[in-house]
Amino acid sequence: MSSNLVESLIGALVLIVAGWFLVFAYERTDGAVAEGYVLSARFDRIDGLGVGADVRLSGIKVGTIVASDLDPQTYQAIVKFSVTEQVKLPLDTAAAITSEGLLGGSYLSLLPGGSLDNLAAGDEISETQGAVDLIGLLGKFMYGDSDGGKKE
């Protein structure tokens, strides 16, 4: 009878530790519902940018990617992202998909403009720069242009 009690206590302890780990991981990875207002932007390429990726302004996380979809008419990727209420972005803000490094993930970088008017919830950023294909660039560098990119 005592071995059943010990096994039950150890099982309960394992479940408590597993629950604590899940809560800890959920809080640390910003898996919670995105807060703030939602904006959108259209890109030619969004390689490596997924739902939950960071939205950064001057290197500081100010939001999260909440959705991405394909426009069937233009074949562009439509990215929806949230930005915290404390950050008011000018109307002429630009968005670029940036890589954290050769092996790192991608994030959406916001580059504020100088407009006096601000973007509102639901607005679309029109000035965008899509993801750069690093593997393609390396391939061109290694095997491509023998004349250094100069065409005559």
Side-chain angles (χ1 to χ4, degrees):
M1 175 84 176
S2 68
S3 66
N4 288 339
L5 179 63
V6 171
E7 290 174 0
S8 297
L9 290 175
I10 291 174
L13 182 63
V14 167
L15 290 176
I16 290 170
V17 169
W20 174 82
F21 179 74
L22 288 174
V23 169
F24 179 78
Y26 183 75
E27 290 175 354
R28 295 288 179 230
T29 58
D30 294 327
V33 176
E35 297 176 0
Y37 58 101
V38 176
L39 300 172
S40 64
R42 293 173 180 263
F43 296 94
D44 292 332
R45 301 178 65 107
I46 62 167
D47 298 347
L49 187 72
V51 173
D54 289 353
V55 175
R56 298 182 189 174
L57 178 67
S58 299
I60 307 292
K61 181 178 177 181
V62 295
T64 305
I65 304 295
V66 294
S68 61
D69 200 12
L70 181 68
D71 184 350
Q73 279 77 36
T74 64
Y75 301 107
Q76 287 184 317
I78 303 170
V79 175
K80 293 187 181 197
F81 57 96
S82 68
V83 177
T84 61
E85 292 289 340
Q86 294 81 16
V87 177
K88 304 296 181 200
L89 297 171
L91 278 176
D92 55 349
T93 297
I97 298 174
T98 308
S99 179
E100 292 186 43
L102 288 176
L103 299 177
S106 296
Y107 64 92
L108 183 64
S109 178
L110 297 176
L111 309 164
S115 177
L116 298 176
D117 296 324
N118 293 330
L119 291 165
D123 285 350
E124 183 175 309
I125 294 178
S126 59
E127 196 69 33
T128 61
Q129 176 184 344
V132 176
D133 182 17
L134 292 176
I135 302 300
L137 287 176
L138 287 172
K140 283 183 182 180
F141 176 73
M142 291 173 59
Y143 306 110
D145 299 334
S146 60
D147 61 354
K150 298 177 184 173
K151 301 276 183 194
E152 294 184 22

